[in-house]
Amino acid sequence: EVQLLESGGGLVQPGGSLRLSCAASGFTFSSYVMSWVRQAPGKGLEWVSAISGRGDSTYYADSVKGRFTISSDNSKNTLYLQMNSLRAEDTAVYYCAKSVIASAGPNWFDPWGQGTLVTVSS
Amino acid sequence: DIVMTQSPDSLAVSLGERATINCKSSQSVLYSSSNKNYLAWYQQKPGQPPKLLIYWASTRESGVPDRFSGSGSGTDFTLTISSLQAEDVAVYYCQQYYRNPITFGQGTRLEIK
């Protein structure tokens, strides 16, 4: 069974940093594009970032480019999101999600993790 | 970026009746060489992550009840629930994966009338 388990969320002050992790199991982690998708309280879904299975290609939404860094450790089957210069508008539940097709292109997500809440507030 | 616009924002339907949710993309998500529409639908219940329902615009994910169906092509798509059940109360999202950045519709909240 494919499982994704996020951790690392919490309360951080504006301008601060946080690193999220997503532990994956049940599939060949290095074969799939992995993404972070966030959801602000009471709002819709926003794709944040993605990384290729080999970790050699990364993609970012304009809203986080230059502040967030996605990475992965295939030896640990773990996805990361380093978030710097955090703003109030980054407050959201952050989900990690697995792409369905084992390719480098964008595709749909299944499954999603349960999410981890990041709150940016003073 | 491809903008995805859903309608309506919210919808109330009686149990056993049909529910229809629309999704329009700002540009075509039909890839001509494969003749596939790069569009997915998700269901999200309160406190839960999104659940995949439909991909390639009309292919139902394994285990999804057959009352859920997807249709459309190019820029206009529809998610239909043929006979609404109480457990279908949720927010529904469409998503394009034609090109990066991946984008979602704003969501449609489905309730029981």
Side-chain angles (χ1 to χ4, degrees), chain A residues 2 4 97-100 108-112, chain B residues 42 50-52 61:
Chain A
V2 175
L4 302 172
K98 171 185 166 291
S99 291
V100 171
W108 64 99
F109 304 121
D110 185 54
W112 300 55
Chain B
Y42 300 89
K51 173 190 172 185
L52 176 68
E61 170 70 348

Side-chain angles (χ1 to χ4, degrees), chain B residues 11-65:
Chain B
L11 180 62
V13 174
S14 300
L15 289 173
E17 296 300 305
R18 178 185 300 261
T20 301
I21 298 170
N22 300 301
C23 175
K24 187 174 183 67
S25 56
S26 61
Q27 55 190 275
S28 177
V29 297
L30 173 63
Y31 194 50
S32 55
S33 63
S34 64
N35 199 35
K36 288 185 173 181
N37 289 281
Y38 283 47
L39 184 112
W41 288 97
Y42 300 89
Q43 175 193 65
Q44 187 179 31
K45 297 181 178 180
Q48 296 184 19
K51 173 190 172 185
L52 176 68
L53 296 176
I54 303 279
Y55 55 94
W56 297 132
S58 61
T59 302
R60 195 181 306 114
E61 170 70 348
S62 175
V64 172

Side-chain angles (χ1 to χ4, degrees), chain A residues 11-80:
Chain A
L11 175 63
V12 61
Q13 292 189 337
S17 298
L18 210 56
R19 189 176 85 152
L20 306 183
S21 300
C22 171
S25 61
F27 65 102
T28 305
F29 183 73
S30 60
S31 294
Y32 292 86
V33 172
M34 296 293 295
S35 292
W36 290 97
V37 179
R38 68 184 180 184
Q39 186 169 36
K43 302 298 184 182
L45 302 168
E46 180 189 17
W47 172 82
V48 172
S49 184
I51 187 167
S52 64
R54 291 180 301 188
D56 54 354
S57 296
T58 57
Y59 311 86
Y60 298 94
D62 286 345
S63 58
V64 306
K65 201 172 294 182
R67 300 188 299 122
F68 290 11
T69 302
I70 191 170
S71 62
S72 60
D73 185 336
N74 287 349
S75 68
K76 296 181 178 180
N77 288 350
T78 301
L79 175 71
Y80 303 100

Side-chain angles (χ1 to χ4, degrees), chain A residues 83-107:
Chain A
M83 304 185 295
N84 299 330
S85 303
L86 282 161
R87 307 166 179 166
E89 54 265 35
D90 296 318
T91 294
V93 173
Y94 285 73
Y95 296 101
C96 70
K98 171 185 166 291
S99 291
V100 171
I101 299 177
S103 72
N107 57 94

